[in-house]
Amino acid sequence: MDKTFNPHSIEQACYQAWEEKGYFKASGTGEPYCILLPPPNVTGSLHMGHAFQHTIMDALIRYNRMKGNDTLWQCGTDHAGIATQMVVERQLNAKGLTRHDLGREDFVSKIWEWKAESGGTITKQMRRLGTSPDWTREAFTMDDDLSNAVQEVFVQLHEEGLIYRGKRLVNWDPVLHTAVSDLEVLNEEEAGFMWHLRYPLADGSGELVVATTRPETMLGDTAVAVHPEDERYQSLIGKEIKLPLTGRLIPVIADDYVDAEFGTGCVKITPAHDFNDYDMGKRHDLPMINILTDDAKINDNAPEAYRGLDRFDARKQIVADLNAQGVLVKVEDHTLKVPRGDRTGAVIEPYLTDQWYVAVESLAKPAIEAVENGEIKFVPENWSKTYYQWMHNIQDWCISRQLWWGHRIPAWYDDAGNVYVGRSEAEVREKHNIPAPTALRQDEDVLDTWFSSALWPFATMGWPDKTPELDKFVPSSVLVTGFDIIFFWVARMIMMTKKFTGKIPFKEIYITGLIRDENGDKMSKSKGNVLDPIDLIDGIELEPLVTKRTGGMMQPKLAAKIEKNTRKQFPEGINAYGTDALRFTFAAMASTSRDINFDMGRVEGYRNFCNKIWNASRFVLMNTEEFDTGKDCGELSLSLADEWIIDRFQHTVADVTKAMGEYRFDLAAQSIYEFTWNQFCDWYLELSKPVLQSDETTDAEKRGTRHTLINTLEQLLRLAHPIMPFITDTIWQRVAPLTAINATDTSIMVQPFVQFDETKTNAQASGDIEWLKQVIVGVRNIRGEMDIAPSKALDVLLKNVSAEDARRLAATQAVLTKLARLGSVTVLEAGEKGPASATALVGEMEVMIPMAGLIDKAAELARIAKAVDKIEKDMARTQGKLNNQGFVAKAPEAVIAKERDKLADMQMQLSKLEEQKATIEAL
RNA sequence: AGGACUGUAGCUCAGUUGGUUAGAGCGCAUCGUUGACAUCGAUGAGGUCGGCGAUUCGAAUUCGCCCAGUCCUACCA
């Protein structure tokens, strides 16, 4: 083995072997355990959030697989309608073409070509992370079987009247020329203006002033509204306004939606271009005048002067004209929420179009109940509130998109404008008796990508066919995802799966935190603070990192800033930490917190941890390979240390198992870390050395220790494997043959997980070794504080030695002498005082290091004074508690007894300290 | 406006149903290299647990208010 752990040299080979041997497939035996991978966008690449969630999913999958469950991780990608279309369209644009030059059919086949070439980025990256999904079942939402499911769901919902078509106001992205759902619109505050406009009454009897943030929409105004009880405007209700610029007559109406307190109390109403106005228009039966084209230019419903102008140019022109006519009263600065498309960043227009909708109310009801009655549990539980809040206010879902890439809506129109929905044109003709001469054309639109994602839990299992997988893996065990897609995806899956299978899609939903940068800022390309998980695995030099972060930046100023920050934060670039260290970091950070600030320091720490495991293993192998480890037979004599480490390991197994069951990967990681480093490496390996290296220990003792070394390590590797798959399997391949395991042609990943075994715990051995540790630490303490060289052998005296202390001393003296670097150990006779010494207390026993020639009087007095000070403070607190009548009267017996013991112990310590102080002062 | 979350050592975070002498890693200080590991070891310094109040014999932990920060949903033209 190399002297330091080199992740790069082991990872690839390891992964290839696993995949080739088919270890990722469900075994077919045991309890079903299934996780659905939230399908990443096919155009996407692995970001820190993915890496985090995939680590957690893989840890769960590996854990359950090892536990013997029939474990399936269903993976795949989604077709990401808008994103994918944009990627390929951009490639065409680079060649001076648009998708219209190709036509729909050719464009779609271009996308498939692109997918075949570049659609596998993220799955390749997942392999680098060591994830173990069943790649043979990898699904893609545009595959035939999934498309078939999509069509089936659409037709069935339509037959039940749950899908309908209607002309409604939708969120229109004028760059993409498509409707988008509410969830795809981001509302951000931006600086803008409020224009106050004077609208004259038609009869010339007066005027009123309206305020607007979008003056250009006045071309489509069809009313002005006031509050019905607003006294200022009572006389105006029912009168008509002569709308400036257009000259159209529009009514003044009363509606209590209007806030009389806000602005002037008069609101211009543009039903075709504002969601609130739209509702009001419906209430009052107002005409809806659309004034925009698909590109958000002014259309022919507007006066000629403005036709063809872009909406923002039109705004300037209209404001200028209104001003010239004296209509503009004033302009104020005003911050307002501007809706922008999450893909394009374009300002979204409320726009009147024909679209398809899912009526979600009846679907939502069982989906809400499934969470209310506990069938589906959120972890942490709080997220159910977020879920309810949205589900109780759920709006019909606009599912049509004016794109070419996606599942085409299975609806056909005849020339008379009738709509027929069916699985194919033939089916439609047959069902509705439409003869061949009658032309039918299919709807041009496709479905929202999330529509197909919503079917993921059952469509990937073969639905609508009745497959064994549908029985076995629906519901899946747990969904691991971020809170940002509870609405987009989680809620919709619950609705659809309930509807079409009658079952819930998953029993638990583990909501992970969001990975942020070390300052708590969201990682984003425009901030330039993104980290690529692969760069943390492989490392990256500074220059490529800068190029990567600033590449494609449109604003040079921003790029300069990002470059500066990057150079400052990573002057040496990023080290290669390896997959296991990265995964361990993610696990260790997976607490219940909703925000996770990613700290490079921790990755480095866990890389060191990997190295620690590596070197500990190296030590174990050096002492077991080519030695008798008692794997077949041979007498084993276990030392106290052997029994102790076995005991500690059992407790660690119990802790890790509990933590894994509660999705507390941070606690699981911490237990593994603590045991490995602070118990196994710091103590047990040291304790084993005297046994292995001494000529005085018997073969049975040596065999016992070797057996414990190799077997504890072997089990520790299994315990850690779900989190750190590569290093554990690599080491295990060498370790397992030295144990009783049949380790030919296998892998740790298909070995059983370790189980807590109470018969292997040993409280006495545990107590004995803790005693030993205290003695050693006591001596080291004195060494450290007295500045005695570690190499200097010390003669130690023990005072107040009880029978139990004597027993422990006898059992551990050899190791004690070695680990504390002692010259001699002398037990003082009862009543014997001993020379002036620096002293450490272990229970009531005093460990004394005589001062002669070694210890500085003043330093030792200072040390004692410090200890006295600390004990006195604690004593005062405990004394106070015990003096409190209420405490003694009401606290449970056990608690009081504990306080009393504590006090007695402290009193004992204090008197010993005082005694020592007196002795030393007397020198 | 409504809802959720966070505030513990210089930094990143644990702290289970109230009973600890409030912990870990990193960082810091001092010392240390003859083979498991300097990606290391030993020792140490460092916290009025955001603030105020309440409940309780007892609060980092429960409740109320306040301060600071984050996020989500809905929005006023």
Side-chain angles (χ1 to χ4, degrees):
Chain A
M1 281 173 96
D2 292 344
K3 198 173 166 185
T4 51
F5 171 52
N6 177 9
H8 198 71
S9 66
I10 63 165
E11 294 178 0
Q12 309 293 335
C14 221
Y15 195 89
Q16 252 185 343
W18 295 333
E19 197 174 347
E20 277 167 13
K21 289 185 179 151
Y23 292 151
F24 299 167
K25 289 194 178 98
S27 63
T29 57
E31 285 291 303
Y33 184 91
C34 175
I35 293 182
L36 302 164
L37 176 76
N41 172 341
V42 67
T43 67
S45 56
L46 197 78
H47 57 59
M48 292 294 278
H50 288 128
F52 177 44
Q53 290 174 357
H54 292 185
T55 296
I56 287 170
M57 282 182 256
D58 194 49
L60 285 168
I61 286 288
R62 286 177 184 274
Y63 174 61
N64 279 280
R65 192 185 283 125
M66 290 176 79
K67 284 209 315 186
N69 292 328
D70 191 6
T71 304
L72 170 67
W73 188 0
Q74 172 63 49
C75 65
T77 47
D78 82 34
H79 65 278
I82 292 175
T84 313
Q85 177 158 326
M86 279 171 79
V87 166
V88 177
E89 205 161 11
R90 221 174 289 137
Q91 291 182 343
L92 289 179
N93 292 349
K95 292 185 214 155
L97 295 169
T98 70
R99 72 175 196 268
H100 300 280
D101 296 328
L102 269 72
R104 183 164 187 152
E105 208 170 306
D106 287 349
F107 180 68
V108 169
S109 45
K110 266 266 177 296
I111 296 183
W112 279 110
E113 277 171 34
W114 173 89
K115 197 244 170 193
E117 263 175 52
S118 319
T121 305
I122 200 161
T123 56
K124 284 192 199 100
Q125 292 173 320
M126 278 180 72
R127 286 173 162 91
R128 291 299 317 278
L129 265 186
T131 58
S132 60
D134 184 352
W135 292 111
T136 64
R137 294 181 55 86
E138 183 177 353
F140 180 54
T141 46
M142 282 293 282
D143 283 344
D144 288 346
D145 46 353
L146 269 73
S147 298
N148 183 36
V150 167
Q151 191 180 62
E152 195 59 33
V153 164
F154 188 96
V155 172
Q156 283 191 35
L157 287 176
H158 182 262
E159 279 169 0
E160 290 184 45
L162 294 176
I163 281 184
Y164 64 91
R165 186 169 188 266
K167 195 174 208 106
R168 300 277 200 86
L169 212 49
V170 297
N171 297 300
W172 184 262
D173 188 320
V175 171
L176 292 170
H177 290 181
T178 179
V180 292
S181 80
D182 295 347
L183 295 174
E184 292 161 283
V185 179
L186 307 173
N187 291 293
E188 296 288 351
E189 277 200 346
E190 291 180 23
F193 301 98
M194 179 87 86
W195 287 270
H196 292 252
L197 308 178
R198 195 191 320 267
Y199 279 13
L201 289 174
D203 60 10
S205 66
E207 59 184 33
L208 46 72
V209 176
V210 297
T212 180
T213 55
R214 304 197 52 200
E216 69 282 7
T217 63
M218 61 88 62
L219 298 176
D221 284 358
T222 57
V224 169
V226 297
H227 194 276
E229 278 148 35
D230 191 333
E231 293 181 3
R232 294 169 295 177
Y233 303 118
Q234 286 302 312
S235 63
L236 301 183
I237 297 170
K239 290 201 171 179
E240 286 192 312
I241 298 278
K242 187 169 182 198
L243 192 61
L245 303 183
T246 69
R248 201 164 59 237
L249 296 181
I250 59 173
V252 178
I253 60 172
D255 193 298
D256 52 19
Y257 159 77
V258 179
D259 179 358
E261 307 292 315
F262 189 89
T264 61
C266 301
V267 190
K268 62 189 271 308
I269 302 300
T270 323
H273 295 285
D274 180 282
F275 288 99
N276 290 309
D277 293 7
Y278 178 80
D279 291 338
M280 202 183 297
K282 287 203 135 172
R283 283 199 290 277
H284 296 271
D285 222 5
L286 298 172
M288 306 210 175
I289 303 176
N290 173 27
I291 58 156
L292 293 176
T293 65
D294 289 357
D295 301 311
K297 290 181 176 153
I298 304 296
N299 72 11
D300 292 353
N301 291 331
E304 230 178 298
Y306 307 110
R307 291 180 194 167
L309 284 181
D310 174 80
R311 53 189 161 161
F312 299 112
D313 297 331
R315 177 179 297 176
K316 279 184 206 148
Q317 187 62 49
I318 285 167
V319 168
D321 292 351
L322 291 172
N323 194 23
Q325 292 183 15
V327 169
L328 185 63
V329 179
K330 61 173 173 178
V331 186
E332 293 173 324
D333 288 332
H334 183 74
T335 54
L336 71 162
K337 297 265 183 148
V338 179
R340 290 184 181 272
D342 63 358
R343 290 279 165 205
T344 57
V347 175
I348 296 295
E349 283 295 337
Y351 194 52
L352 209 49
T353 50
D354 281 309
Q355 302 290 345
W356 292 89
Y357 293 87
V358 176
V360 287
E361 203 185 330
S362 67
L363 298 172
K365 207 167 162 275
I368 293 169
E369 286 164 4
V371 176
E372 277 175 346
N373 66 24
E375 259 190 291
I376 300 178
K377 270 188 2 206
F378 276 92
V379 181
E381 206 281 325
N382 294 68
W383 289 107
S384 60
K385 291 184 190 165
T386 306
Y387 173 78
Y388 292 138
Q389 194 191 336
W390 191 67
M391 291 297 275
H392 286 300
N393 297 300
I394 195 164
Q395 302 288 312
D396 282 0
W397 173 16
C398 175
I399 50 171
S400 43
R401 296 288 182 275
Q402 287 66 51
L403 306 174
W404 286 355
W405 176 239
H407 301 103
R408 194 149 171 194
I409 291 176
W412 283 262
Y413 304 88
D414 63 19
D415 290 339
N418 296 310
V419 190
Y420 308 98
V421 168
R423 288 163 187 84
S424 64
E425 183 174 335
E427 184 187 283
V428 162
R429 281 187 189 277
E430 192 188 319
K431 191 169 168 196
H432 298 279
N433 280 322
I434 304 166
T438 310
L440 286 179
R441 56 187 171 77
Q442 188 174 359
D443 197 309
E444 296 289 328
D445 293 349
V446 300
L447 289 165
D448 183 2
T449 306
W450 294 104
F451 188 88
S452 45
S453 308
L455 318 183
W456 194 247
F458 53 101
T460 53
M461 301 297 159
W463 188 93
D465 294 339
K466 290 197 193 322
T467 62
E469 286 87 351
L470 266 179
D471 277 340
K472 202 192 266 185
F473 296 121
V474 182
S476 62
S477 308
V478 59
L479 182 75
V480 178
T481 191
F483 57 82
D484 46 335
I485 55 173
I486 290 179
F487 307 143
F488 272 106
W489 190 52
V490 178
R492 288 165 177 173
M493 275 193 290
I494 299 175
M495 290 194 280
M496 290 300 198
T497 310
K498 268 294 223 185
K499 174 73 183 170
F500 288 95
T501 67
K503 298 203 259 186
I504 52 170
F506 24 72
K507 296 171 200 155
E508 292 185 291
I509 306 167
Y510 173 68
I511 300 286
T512 63
L514 195 73
I515 304 276
R516 299 170 171 279
D517 74 3
E518 70 285 354
N519 301 314
D521 289 325
K522 210 164 168 169
M523 289 189 182
S524 77
K525 186 125 208 223
S526 61
K527 283 204 201 97
N529 59 353
V530 287
L531 288 171
D532 183 338
I534 304 299
D535 290 343
L536 294 176
I537 293 171
D538 293 339
I540 185 169
E541 305 270 326
L542 176 61
E543 295 311 324
L545 180 63
V546 167
T547 311
K548 199 165 164 177
R549 282 187 162 190
T550 54
M553 279 288 149
M554 290 305 172
Q555 295 161 271
K557 246 178 110 176
L558 203 61
K561 196 178 149 201
I562 289 169
E563 175 168 355
K564 199 178 142 210
N565 290 343
T566 303
R567 286 183 188 282
K568 192 173 158 213
Q569 199 195 348
F570 302 107
E572 317 285 329
I574 297 174
N575 283 323
Y577 296 113
T579 298
D580 292 309
L582 180 64
R583 287 176 57 125
F584 201 86
T585 308
F586 284 129
M589 293 193 311
S591 65
T592 56
S593 166
R594 59 179 289 168
D595 292 307
I596 292 160
N597 295 359
F598 192 82
D599 178 10
M600 293 296 288
R602 291 186 71 172
V603 195
E604 189 168 333
Y606 295 129
R607 187 269 318 256
N608 295 352
F609 178 56
C610 289
N611 190 58
K612 192 76 179 172
I613 293 176
W614 186 261
N615 274 289
S617 304
R618 211 156 72 94
F619 172 81
V620 172
L621 288 169
M622 282 166 67
N623 285 286
T624 50
E625 276 179 333
E626 299 174 25
F627 289 100
D628 180 2
T629 58
K631 77 178 222 187
D632 303 315
C633 54
E635 191 194 344
L636 297 176
S637 169
L638 296 189
S639 69
L640 269 182
D642 295 333
E643 284 173 346
W644 165 77
I645 198 67
I646 292 168
D647 174 86
R648 286 328 309 152
F649 183 71
Q650 286 307 316
H651 286 101
T652 306
V653 170
D655 290 347
V656 170
T657 307
K658 178 167 183 280
M660 291 294 285
E662 293 168 348
Y663 301 104
R664 286 303 302 270
F665 305 96
D666 58 329
L667 300 181
Q670 201 188 16
S671 292
I672 292 170
Y673 185 96
E674 207 276 338
F675 172 81
T676 306
W677 202 309
N678 302 129
Q679 308 301 333
F680 188 70
C681 293
D682 283 353
W683 288 102
Y684 180 66
L685 296 190
E686 296 307 320
L687 291 167
S688 74
K689 286 176 186 173
V691 178
L692 299 175
Q693 290 162 8
S694 165
D695 296 332
E696 286 163 32
T697 47
T698 66
D699 284 352
E701 284 169 334
K702 286 196 169 74
R703 204 179 290 122
T705 291
R706 289 193 186 112
H707 186 266
T708 308
L709 274 171
I710 199 74
N711 281 282
T712 304
L713 175 61
E714 189 279 325
Q715 292 180 63
L716 173 61
L717 293 170
R718 278 191 273 150
L719 189 69
H721 178 261
I723 300 178
M724 335 174 81
F726 291 125
I727 190 173
T728 50
D729 197 28
T730 305
I731 297 172
W732 188 86
Q733 295 295 340
R734 286 203 38 197
V735 166
L738 304 173
T739 69
I741 294 169
N742 177 2
T744 23
D745 192 32
T746 181
S747 156
I748 194 173
M749 69 171 282
V750 289
Q751 296 296 312
F753 198 71
V754 275
Q755 273 187 319
F756 174 69
D757 180 350
E758 183 147 24
T759 64
K760 290 183 177 162
T761 61
N762 187 331
Q764 185 178 353
S766 178
D768 291 350
I769 297 293
E770 293 309 324
W771 176 91
L772 170 68
K773 283 161 77 173
Q774 278 184 51
V775 177
I776 294 171
V777 168
V779 173
R780 283 180 183 165
N781 231 308
I782 292 169
R783 260 185 212 280
E785 291 182 28
M786 294 294 134
D787 237 356
I788 301 170
S791 50
K792 166 96 187 155
L794 296 175
D795 296 324
V796 162
L797 307 175
L798 299 178
K799 189 171 157 188
N800 247 345
V801 178
S802 68
E804 178 78 338
D805 290 329
R807 181 185 65 75
R808 285 170 162 168
L809 177 64
T812 61
Q813 187 157 357
V815 263
L816 171 63
T817 304
K818 175 116 196 248
L819 296 198
R821 286 248 187 171
L822 301 183
S824 64
V825 180
T826 311
V827 177
L828 296 180
E829 297 298 327
E832 193 181 343
K833 246 186 126 189
S837 306
T839 310
L841 275 178
V842 176
E844 298 199 14
M845 183 178 82
E846 292 176 63
V847 180
M848 304 172 71
I849 296 172
M851 295 178 67
L854 269 178
I855 291 169
D856 167 4
K857 181 175 166 184
E860 179 59 10
L861 282 174
R863 207 172 72 93
I864 291 172
K866 203 175 84 181
V868 167
D869 193 50
K870 191 171 179 244
I871 291 179
E872 278 178 343
K873 256 191 220 156
D874 292 339
M875 257 174 80
R877 194 188 333 217
T878 306
Q879 191 67 262
K881 275 191 189 178
L882 288 166
N883 289 345
N884 182 335
Q885 285 307 310
F887 177 73
V888 180
K890 295 191 181 177
E893 263 317 307
V895 175
I896 299 171
K898 201 170 153 196
E899 291 297 318
R900 289 212 170 105
D901 287 352
K902 212 164 36 178
L903 185 65
D905 189 49
M906 287 189 289
Q907 270 163 345
M908 185 269 293
Q909 289 185 40
L910 195 60
S911 69
K912 299 227 143 117
L913 286 167
E914 297 292 356
E915 214 176 281
Q916 286 159 31
K917 191 175 150 201
T919 315
I920 291 165
E921 272 172 342
L923 279 178

